Structure formats: C-alpha cells, structure tokens
Amino acid sequence: MTEKMQVEAIQQGTVIDHIPAGQGIRILKRLHLEAAGNRITVGLNLPSKDMSLKDLIKVEGRMFTEDEAHQLALFAPEGTINVIDDYEVVNKFAMRLPETLEGVFSCPNSNCISLNEPVKSFFYIQPTATQVKMKCKYCEKSFNKEVVVAS
Ligand SMILES: [Zn+2]
C-alpha cells in the first residue's frame, strides 16, 4: 500500500503526517480540535516508511497557524504539515521546534512564580542530542519536554 492511499482526499484543510504512534490522540486533546466542529479523520498505528508505526490526523476546513505547528513539534518533531486546497497540497512544511514557547504549557515546578502570578508561562526550548529540554524563564529550572507536556 502506498502512503498516498492512506490519506483519503480532502477538499480543503490540513493533514498532519508522520506523528509518532501514540501521540495523535494527545495532539487532538492539546489543540481541542474536536471541539471546533471540523470534520476530523484520525489514523492510528499506520505503517510508515521511516518509522515502524505512525499516526495521522486530517482536519477539514481548517488551516493550521505557525504557532499551532510549533506546539505540535513538541509531540511530533518529525511530523509534516500538508495544507490542502481544492484537493491539492498547496503547502507542505516540516515541523520545527520553536526557540521559545509562551502561554501554552504550565511550569511543572509547583513553587514557580508563573503559576501564581498573572503572567504567561514562558519556556526556552533547548534540544540536546538525546532529548528536548524546556527551561522556564521564571524559575529557571529545566525539564524534559515530556514532563512539561504531560503536566
Ligand atoms: Zn517555572
């Protein structure tokens, strides 16, 4: 089966591809996609050329913003976003980790001032060879991204 056959054509919207298996559901929850009323098709544990299994999300009638793509990169650093218009891929870009991320995830440090003050959370994203660290601007602690994303 070719990769193309896994993706039923949509007229207009976004296809998020090459999500590591297991992360698709988390992305749906994080972006509250289901609440927006768009038609969504989710493929879980699909075979992939470069990974053993992958998840895939199609959202009809919605173009993703660059900010949303940055959030997604934390879940799917190898992911790709395909923007579809009139059944054609009009734009395709790879996920890319942002250098900073503001107001998306809470600081896992329960003593952090950002939890009790009316400020937006702010993390510096620091990829290392083996993992991605997120350093809080306020308490200056570094966390594995998994810890931040899960909290
Ligand atoms: Zn903090």
Side-chain angles (χ1 to χ4, degrees):
M1 188 159 76
T2 68
E3 212 163 304
K4 201 163 193 174
M5 289 168 69
Q6 296 176 24
V7 187
E8 191 190 325
I10 60 176
Q11 188 183 355
Q12 191 196 53
T14 304
V15 177
I16 311 164
D17 201 357
H18 298 104
I19 303 165
Q23 299 296 314
I25 297 287
R26 295 174 72 183
I27 288 174
L28 283 174
K29 284 187 181 154
R30 165 58 56 182
L31 293 181
H32 305 291
L33 289 172
E34 78 289 351
N38 296 87
R39 185 186 301 178
I40 298 167
T41 311
V42 183
L44 300 179
N45 299 322
L46 303 175
S48 167
K49 262 182 280 180
D50 20 17
M51 281 180 274
S52 49
L53 294 171
K54 67 173 183 179
D55 293 348
L56 179 148
I57 300 174
K58 285 191 303 177
V59 186
E60 291 187 45
R62 176 113 139 38
M63 310 299 197
F64 278 75
T65 64
E66 199 175 345
D67 190 45
E68 288 171 318
H70 283 165
Q71 294 180 40
L72 290 173
L74 290 171
F75 297 96
E78 309 293 325
T80 53
I81 288 186
N82 302 273
V83 180
I84 314 286
D85 194 19
D86 199 17
Y87 299 103
E88 298 279 337
V89 177
V90 293
N91 200 357
K92 179 171 185 155
F93 53 98
M95 265 8 142
R96 177 173 67 79
L97 280 174
E99 291 179 4
T100 62
L101 202 54
E102 182 174 13
V104 179
F105 300 104
S106 301
C107 182
N109 172 12
S110 59
N111 294 319
C112 180
I113 190 172
S114 71
L115 299 179
N116 297 311
E117 298 288 327
V119 293
K120 286 183 174 176
S121 70
F122 193 102
F123 291 97
Y124 300 100
I125 313 294
Q126 300 169 321
T128 68
T130 52
Q131 56 192 342
V132 176
K133 294 276 193 186
M134 295 175 69
K135 183 177 180 185
C136 175
K137 182 176 90 170
Y138 297 98
C139 66
E140 300 191 321
K141 286 189 188 304
S142 280
F143 307 92
N144 288 339
K145 80 164 168 128
E146 286 75 16
V147 173
V148 178
V149 165
S151 68

